[in-house]
């Protein structure tokens, strides 16, 4: 999980980036600058998207529709924004992500620019990795008024290693945005494949795994308490966790490596060096085609 906490001075745009498992939501216990409407979130303030072609704007006016459940966002979130400029009409932000995963993108808007006086004065498309996620976004129209919060949400699957959010003006010269949230989506019921859990228990017994290493419960869930020496990978097609690595070097292990280890079909690496394991490597490991390092 990545969390960022802002210590920057006002005014600034707020960007919140959090990669988490939705099944085990773990956010900070610190509220947004003492404001209970902030919820348990860390907000990271930035002055620019780094393009050299945007500017920040702010207002002290009250923002409507900011305290509605289930998400109680701080009013300050919508009192600051980034706006594109003539030199760079599009607003674009890119974050690095792990490939072949699903992400829930939340976009926060409020029309606080005094240059915009009503409906139809600023319209833009929102693209995620080049695909139109929201077409003809008119904040004043969709929120019901100026200085009124609007939240849009889109879930996307990203095949590459980056997620780019682009705001492209279609009416009026400039785009505007107040905040972004990105969540990695993992189904709550996701667990490690049963056959692979059984294979690890067989290995645990055969090598006399020390009690200090644990290996109780699910090997991969929750991620914060994965088994020592076990590397996990989420299989998006099966919506299950699989084992892709065993790193148990210099752990004082004995016994032998059971043939059931071949049931770990997704293994890419195994390291048992520095132990006193007897016997050879089971020939059944030859069926694990993903294995690269032994």
């Amino acid at each position: 999980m990545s969390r960022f906490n802002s210590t920057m001075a006002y005014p600034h745009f707020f960007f919140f980036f959090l990669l988490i498992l939705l099944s085990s939501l773990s956010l900070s216990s610190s509220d947004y600058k003492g404001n209970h409407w902030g919820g348990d979130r860390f907000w990271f303030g930035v002055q620019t998207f780094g393009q050299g072609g945007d500017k920040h704007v702010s207002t002290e006016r009250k923002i409507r529709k900011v305290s509605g459940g289930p998400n109680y966002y701080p009013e300050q979130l919508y009192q600051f924004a980034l706006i594109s400029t003539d030199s760079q009409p599009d607003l674009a932000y890119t974050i690095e992500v792990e490939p072949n995963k699903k992400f829930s993108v939340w976009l926060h808007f409020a029309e606080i620019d005094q240059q915009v006086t009503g409906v139809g004065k600023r319209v833009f498309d929102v693209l995620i990795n080049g695909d139109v996620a929201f077409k003809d976004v008119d904040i004043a129209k969709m929120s019901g008024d100026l200085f009124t919060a609007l939240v849009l949400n889109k879930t996307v699957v990203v095949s590459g290693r980056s997620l780019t959010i682009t705001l492209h003006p279609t009416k009026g010269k400039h785009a505007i945005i107040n905040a972004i949230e990105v969540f990695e989506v993992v189904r709550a019921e996701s667990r490690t494949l049963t056959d692979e859990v059984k294979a690890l228990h067989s290995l645990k017994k055969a090598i006399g795994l020390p009690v200090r290493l644990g290996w109780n419960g699910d090997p991969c869930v929750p991620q914060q308490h994965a088994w020592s020496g076990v590397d996990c990978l989420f299989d998006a097609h099966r919506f299950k966790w699989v084992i892709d690595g065993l790193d148990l070097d210099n752990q004082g292990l004995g016994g032998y490596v059971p043939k059931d280890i071949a049931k770990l079909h997704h293994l890419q690496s195994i390291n048992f060096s520095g132990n006193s394991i007897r016997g050879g490597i089971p020939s059944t490991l030859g069926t694990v085609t993903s294995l690269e390092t032994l």
Side-chain angles (χ1 to χ4, degrees), residues 35-258:
N35 182 343
H36 68 285
W37 296 120
D40 294 332
R41 283 172 161 84
F42 278 89
W43 296 94
F44 174 56
V46 295
Q47 294 275 358
T48 177
F49 278 166
Q51 302 165 317
D54 51 37
K55 64 179 182 179
H56 62 264
V57 295
S58 63
T59 183
E60 294 183 356
R61 287 189 54 173
K62 183 175 178 62
I63 306 298
R64 291 178 287 273
K65 297 184 180 179
V66 294
S67 299
N71 297 303
Y72 294 92
Y73 297 103
E75 183 179 33
Q76 294 98 318
L77 191 72
Y78 300 94
Q79 291 175 322
F80 301 88
L82 280 185
I83 297 180
S84 60
T85 61
D86 291 343
S87 63
Q88 183 63 52
D90 287 357
L91 275 178
Y93 196 86
T94 300
I95 60 174
E96 293 183 1
V97 297
E98 293 189 38
N100 303 315
K101 293 194 175 183
K102 184 181 293 185
F103 297 90
S104 181
V105 179
W106 295 75
L107 306 172
H108 299 264
F109 304 96
E111 189 54 81
I112 64 172
D113 184 5
Q114 294 183 355
Q115 302 300 316
V116 175
T117 57
V119 172
K121 300 299 183 180
R122 187 200 312 275
V123 182
F124 54 88
D125 293 339
V126 177
L127 297 86
I128 300 178
N129 281 358
D131 296 325
V132 176
F134 300 99
K135 188 173 179 59
D136 296 331
V137 175
D138 185 333
I139 301 170
K141 180 179 180 180
M142 296 171 70
S143 68
D145 204 350
L146 303 174
F147 301 95
T148 304
L150 171 68
V151 182
L152 300 179
N153 170 242
K154 181 75 172 181
T155 299
V156 297
V157 176
V158 178
S159 58
R161 294 186 176 276
S162 63
L163 189 157
T164 298
I165 300 165
T166 304
L167 279 61
H168 174 68
T170 57
K171 188 172 183 180
K173 295 182 178 180
H174 309 132
I176 186 173
I177 192 166
N178 299 75
I180 299 172
E181 293 177 287
V182 179
F183 294 86
E184 179 188 335
V185 180
V186 177
R187 288 191 177 184
E189 66 270 20
S190 298
R191 292 292 184 268
T192 307
L193 279 176
T194 301
D195 285 348
E196 301 207 357
V197 176
K198 290 180 179 178
L200 286 180
H201 278 292
S202 178
L203 177 64
K204 174 183 178 180
K205 182 178 180 180
I207 62 178
L209 194 81
V211 175
R212 60 181 169 80
L213 292 182
W215 284 33
N216 299 303
D218 190 287
C220 303
V221 181
Q223 279 187 294
Q224 297 93 326
H225 303 289
W227 289 5
S228 298
V230 176
D231 295 327
C232 300
L233 178 71
F234 187 73
D235 187 331
H237 298 291
R238 299 188 183 188
F239 289 101
K240 292 287 186 179
W241 290 93
V242 297
I243 310 303
D244 71 337
L246 293 174
D247 188 8
L248 294 168
D249 60 309
N250 300 300
Q251 295 296 329
L253 305 177
Y256 64 97
V257 178

Side-chain angles (χ1 to χ4, degrees), residues 252-273:
L253 305 177
Y256 64 97
V257 178
K259 63 180 181 180
D260 282 353
I261 195 173
K263 293 181 179 179
L264 300 175
H265 299 295
H266 303 84
L267 274 180
Q268 298 182 32
S269 64
I270 300 176
N271 184 3
F272 288 151
S273 63

Side-chain angles (χ1 to χ4, degrees), residues 2-24:
S2 299
R3 292 184 296 188
F4 301 87
N5 190 9
S6 171
T7 57
M8 298 177 64
Y10 294 108
H12 55 264
F13 165 88
F14 288 94
F15 170 70
F16 172 69
F17 170 48
L18 181 63
L19 290 183
I20 57 171
L21 299 180
L22 296 187
S23 59
S24 56

